[in-house]
Amino acid sequence: MKKTEETKKPFTVLLAGNPNVGKSTVFNALTGMRQHTGNWTGKTVSTAKGSFREKGSDFELVDLPGTYSLSAHSKEESVARDMICFGKYDAVAVVCDATTLERCLVLVLETLEVTNKVVVLVNLIDEAKKKKIRIRCDKLSEILKVPVIPASARSNKGLDEFRRAIDKMCRDKREYEPVFSYEDVIESALNELEINKSFDNRMLRLRLFMNDADFIDTFEKSHNIRLSDDEKLCKSLAAVKKSLLNKGLDNENVSDTVADALACQSRKISREIVDSEKRDDSFDRRLDKVFTGKLTGIPIMLLLLSLVFFITIYAANYPSMLLSDLFNFLGTKLRGFLSVAGMPEILISMLIDGVWCVVTWVVSVMLPPMAIFFPLFTLLEDFGYLPRAAFNLDRCFKKCEACGKQCLCMCMGFGCNAAGVVGCRIIDSPRERLVAILTNNLVPCNGRFPTIIAIISMFFVCSLSLKMQPIAASLILTAVVLLSVVMTFLTSFFLSKTLLKGTASSFTLELPSYRVPKLGSVIVRSVFDRTLFVLGRAVLFAAPMGLVIWLLANIKVSGLPIISYASDFLDPLGRLMGLDGVILLAFILGFPANEIVLPIVLMCYLSGVTLTDSADLSAVFSVLSLNGWTIKTGICYILFSLFHFPCSTTLMTIKKETGSVKYTVLSAVIPTAIGFVLCFAVNLIYNLFI
């Protein structure tokens, strides 16, 4: 049967570009909601794919991780390089920033060394105009011999032309033709090297000269061959390398020569096609003096973080209550339906009081804060503030022999530690990435904030006037957050001096121009790529743990439920820490999500068989006080909430990111040990002096 236009396999288009050039905005504008995520084969780097139609044909757009060049220094960059150099695609679309075109052209030129099936999108043309920069895209197209489209993706300008150019390029049957030449000695070597025409490209020849082991290994795997077995190629390569050495060029010299040639060519092209007056960046500089100033940088960062916490916590209360009421209503209806259907009461209780109760509790408590925090975090990211925050804390992390980018992962950890662990991919050094992963759980996620605030409200500010309570609670919460940050610094320093010895690496931190964030892009990235991703993993563990909690609370031995025996067993250790066995057991059973720890405590104290609502603080305070809670218990509970083993979602993410059981276990042991020591010290001091 003859295939119609609609049933043909879609064209595959790679979307490449430097970080902060608006690539995600372009991707979202082209694909809309027709997107899905996954992982690159053999790697922990997530991928975004989407589809769009043009002239009756389907196109699959693959959003590559941001990279400055095809010389990979991280997992993300190696993914972009491997897809461009070895992937199967019909065209590559390279997005450039019109305000920093010279830097972006390096990636364009390198891509053109692999294939000429390239379309260049010069994005942010509106910002360039504001800065009195004019790009002659027609001249650039003439030089590069590929389509060059000016655009402003945020306002959808130029994207229709971009789609048409992609469609035309995918159908084009053009022969490969180099765009520019290196020095004569390099060009001569490129021509002399004998390579099988079935996988011939200039980038491979260059990497063979440079002896780039990682590139060559990936090439061999992608083509299922061993270049070392090709006797003709090995002889040719040996002869060419000998010729290069005779002319004073070894592997490193060739690499430097190629890099210099690319930079020089990029500069030359930029001078030909960019007309600019004196840049008026006074507004950005004035903001930088405030956001990165020695006296104002850190205080403003703390103020913004506190504001995000305040909005997240208080704005999430109402939707959380609505979700909780909705799930309770649905649970009642579901219980009635199962009863009418003839299901045994014990099974109904297991499903509703166990699995359903825990899962819906996790969703109602986790979803609203994450749905608020991550968009706020993404707004700061799109505005251009987060790189400034990393700049402010870079000196502190440098003294800990860690990476300044760890600041961004730490900030993301305030929303969810699992997301913070995933965010550690931005750190190039494997050692520093491990330090960031192992310490990310030391900052509290939004699942721990509600309980910490509840304890603060019940035990530390309840005696104050109504006007003073919010202020005092905010100050205490800020102190708690600062303690977690300080402990992150100290633990990073300890790990860098012991288990993960090494010196801090240097990195280039780009401070992009301040931009007005695009709401649609913020929602897509924060809700779909972060919130639902984390929530899905939490629910995966919450369901079976709900059944476990029900069984422990309902199965009785000698008249007492198993949960009572377990709490009695843990009680001596809990007393040593200023807590009790019920609290320790609640933290263990709260492994799927930190949100259910306090409800489990109340369930045990009230001898219940299902989770207990903790919304009425006065009633909760009465229950806790009757069971021996004091200010000391409140302090120790807050400390152990800050410093204990990660939740199941975070641990699963750590295992996936590190690929190591050792580091996964270590990530649980380190914060738990810190929490035990601090609680023991508080308990000892309190008993001695108070």
Side-chain angles (χ1 to χ4, degrees):
M1 180 178 175
K2 187 176 180 180
K3 291 185 178 181
T4 63
E5 188 72 18
E6 287 73 23
T7 59
K8 286 183 179 179
K9 186 178 179 181
F11 292 112
T12 300
V13 180
L14 307 183
L15 189 66
N18 293 179
N20 301 310
V21 296
K23 187 164 59 68
S24 296
T25 305
V26 174
F27 177 77
N28 291 328
L30 290 177
T31 62
M33 300 302 294
R34 298 180 298 278
Q35 306 170 9
H36 62 278
T37 59
N39 277 344
W40 301 99
T41 304
K43 297 184 181 287
T44 57
V45 180
S46 60
T47 158
K49 294 182 180 180
S51 61
F52 68 92
R53 288 180 66 84
E54 178 64 26
K55 293 183 179 180
S57 296
D58 291 323
F59 293 82
E60 183 179 56
L61 194 63
V62 182
D63 188 15
L64 300 180
T67 181
Y68 290 103
S69 77
L70 298 183
S71 298
H73 300 289
S74 67
K75 287 183 180 179
E76 284 75 10
E77 291 179 338
S78 67
V79 163
R81 179 204 65 193
D82 293 347
M83 285 296 293
I84 292 173
C85 293
F86 314 124
K88 295 180 180 179
Y89 52 82
D90 298 287
V92 181
V94 184
V95 182
C96 299
D97 183 349
T99 63
T100 57
L101 190 58
E102 180 181 326
R103 184 194 65 202
C104 296
L105 283 174
V106 172
L107 179 61
V108 175
L109 292 172
E110 282 189 308
T111 304
L112 287 168
E113 288 290 79
V114 181
T115 176
N116 60 356
K117 302 278 284 185
V118 175
V119 177
V120 177
L121 182 76
V122 181
N123 192 30
L124 303 172
I125 207 76
D126 52 340
E127 288 194 17
K129 187 176 180 180
K130 291 177 184 177
K131 296 180 178 181
K132 299 179 180 179
I133 301 173
R134 190 173 74 88
I135 311 294
R136 288 184 284 171
C137 292
D138 52 346
K139 178 66 174 176
L140 181 58
S141 177
E142 182 183 326
I143 294 171
L144 299 179
K145 303 174 186 176
V146 295
V148 177
I149 314 299
S152 176
R154 286 180 296 180
S155 55
N156 287 319
K157 292 181 180 178
L159 294 185
D160 288 339
E161 187 181 352
F162 184 48
R163 277 193 291 264
R164 289 193 293 269
I166 290 175
D167 176 72
K168 185 177 179 181
M169 181 58 72
C170 288
R171 301 175 191 278
D172 199 345
K173 303 297 183 183
R174 60 173 59 192
E175 294 291 329
Y176 179 77
E177 181 181 355
V179 173
F180 76 101
S181 300
Y182 300 101
E183 292 182 9
D184 290 342
V185 62
I186 300 292
E187 285 294 328
S188 176
L190 285 170
N191 294 328
E192 289 176 10
L193 184 58
E194 292 286 342
I195 294 186
N196 188 311
K197 293 296 180 183
S198 63
F199 51 79
D200 187 13
N201 64 56
R202 285 164 63 87
M203 180 62 70
L204 172 59
R205 292 169 183 260
L206 287 168
R207 295 296 171 180
L208 284 170
F209 299 161
M210 299 175 195
N211 200 29
D212 187 335
D214 182 48
F215 182 94
I216 296 170
D217 180 60
T218 307
F219 175 85
E220 291 181 331
K221 288 178 181 177
S222 66
H223 288 78
N224 195 28
I225 60 171
R226 285 181 60 85
L227 294 177
S228 56
D229 293 338
D230 190 329
E231 186 177 347
K232 184 178 180 181
L233 171 62
C234 291
K235 287 182 178 179
S236 175
L237 181 59
V240 170
K241 283 191 174 184
K242 184 177 180 181
S243 174
L244 289 171
L245 283 172
N246 290 336
K247 296 172 183 178
L249 292 177
D250 56 15
N251 298 340
E252 189 173 343
N253 292 142
V254 172
S255 179
D256 291 341
T257 303
V258 170
D260 290 344
L262 287 166
C264 185
Q265 185 70 10
S266 175
R267 193 178 307 114
K268 178 183 176 183
I269 294 174
S270 182
R271 287 172 180 170
E272 289 186 46
I273 56 105
V274 177
D275 298 323
S276 63
E277 300 178 23
K278 185 177 180 180
R279 284 185 58 178
D280 183 17
D281 55 0
S282 56
F283 177 71
D284 283 9
R285 301 291 75 78
R286 285 198 299 270
L287 286 180
D288 278 344
K289 284 183 180 180
V290 176
F291 288 140
T292 62
K294 290 184 178 180
L295 297 178
T296 58
I298 299 294
I300 287 179
M301 183 179 69
L302 293 176
L303 182 63
L304 283 173
L305 195 60
S306 300
L307 181 62
V308 170
F309 290 153
F310 179 83
I311 294 173
T312 300
I313 293 166
Y314 286 97
N317 285 335
Y318 187 65
S320 286
M321 291 174 59
L322 286 178
L323 277 175
S324 180
D325 292 342
L326 174 62
F327 286 134
N328 287 336
F329 172 77
L330 293 175
T332 302
K333 294 296 183 183
L334 183 59
R335 184 190 295 272
F337 172 78
L338 294 176
S339 180
V340 171
M343 181 176 284
E345 186 61 33
I346 189 171
L347 291 180
I348 294 176
S349 182
M350 289 172 63
L351 290 174
I352 303 300
D353 297 328
V355 177
W356 173 267
C357 185
V358 172
V359 169
T360 56
W361 189 290
V362 169
V363 173
S364 61
V365 177
M366 282 186 71
L367 180 57
M370 285 196 299
I372 295 171
F373 177 86
F374 284 132
L376 291 175
F377 189 85
T378 309
L379 282 173
L380 291 176
E381 182 181 1
D382 282 10
F383 176 63
Y385 176 73
L386 290 188
R388 273 83 182 176
F391 175 83
N392 290 332
L393 290 181
D394 179 53
R395 186 175 301 175
C396 298
F397 281 107
K398 195 82 171 179
K399 289 181 179 179
C400 299
E401 297 185 2
C403 179
K405 291 181 182 179
Q406 187 174 336
C407 165
L408 304 181
C409 314
M410 184 176 68
C411 290
M412 192 175 288
F414 285 117
C416 175
N417 295 123
V421 169
V422 173
C424 293
R425 295 171 182 174
I426 65 174
I427 301 175
D428 296 334
S429 165
R431 183 191 71 83
E432 292 171 349
R433 192 183 308 120
L434 273 175
V435 171
I437 289 173
L438 294 178
T439 58
N440 192 268
N441 192 64
L442 297 178
V443 295
C445 64
N446 65 52
R448 289 181 266 179
F449 275 116
T451 302
I452 292 174
I453 292 172
I455 299 298
I456 291 172
S457 301
M458 288 186 290
F459 288 92
F460 299 98
V461 302
C462 58
S463 60
L464 301 176
S465 65
L466 291 176
K467 289 184 178 180
M468 290 300 297
Q469 284 183 10
I471 298 174
S474 299
L475 291 175
I476 295 174
L477 180 62
T478 302
V480 169
V481 171
L482 288 176
L483 173 62
S484 70
V485 173
V486 170
M487 197 56 66
T488 299
F489 287 140
L490 293 176
T491 308
S492 297
F493 179 77
F494 173 78
L495 289 172
S496 297
K497 291 294 184 181
T498 54
L499 298 175
L500 299 170
K501 289 183 179 180
T503 56
S505 64
S506 60
F507 66 95
T508 301
L509 180 63
E510 180 185 1
L511 298 182
S513 300
Y514 293 98
R515 300 170 186 161
V516 177
K518 190 173 181 182
L519 188 59
S521 174
V522 167
I523 292 174
V524 169
R525 289 162 54 201
S526 59
V527 175
F528 289 92
D529 290 349
R530 292 173 180 170
T531 303
L532 296 183
F533 165 77
V534 173
L535 188 64
R537 288 192 173 183
V539 169
L540 183 66
F541 280 89
M545 186 55 73
L547 181 60
V548 171
I549 293 172
W550 186 92
L551 292 172
L552 291 175
N554 286 270
I555 297 177
K556 296 182 179 181
V557 178
S558 301
L560 289 176
I562 296 176
I563 202 167
S564 296
Y565 291 102
S567 61
D568 290 343
F569 175 78
L570 293 171
D571 197 63
L573 179 61
R575 299 292 176 186
L576 195 63
M577 298 170 60
L579 303 170
D580 61 30
V582 168
I583 300 172
L584 284 189
L585 180 63
F587 275 105
I588 294 172
L589 295 179
F591 177 62
N594 292 288
E595 291 83 353
I596 63 175
V597 173
L598 188 57
I600 293 175
V601 170
L602 297 176
M603 181 188 74
C604 292
Y605 285 153
L606 295 172
S607 301
V609 295
T610 186
L611 295 189
T612 303
D613 191 359
S614 56
D616 187 351
L617 290 186
S618 59
V620 172
F621 180 70
S622 298
V623 173
L624 297 181
S625 298
L626 288 173
N627 284 275
W629 279 54
T630 62
I631 291 178
K632 178 191 73 173
T633 315
I635 294 173
C636 292
Y637 185 95
I638 290 174
L639 287 174
F640 202 62
S641 291
L642 279 181
F643 310 117
H644 71 280
F645 47 85
C647 68
S648 57
T649 306
T650 304
L651 275 181
M652 185 169 71
T653 305
I654 292 172
K655 173 61 174 66
K656 191 172 183 180
E657 292 295 311
T658 62
S660 167
V661 174
K662 169 187 171 183
Y663 288 118
T664 304
V665 172
L666 199 59
S667 68
V669 170
I670 290 173
T672 306
I674 293 172
F676 175 82
V677 170
L678 290 178
C679 289
F680 175 77
V682 168
N683 184 44
L684 182 63
I685 294 170
Y686 194 93
N687 291 336
L688 287 175
F689 299 102
I690 299 178

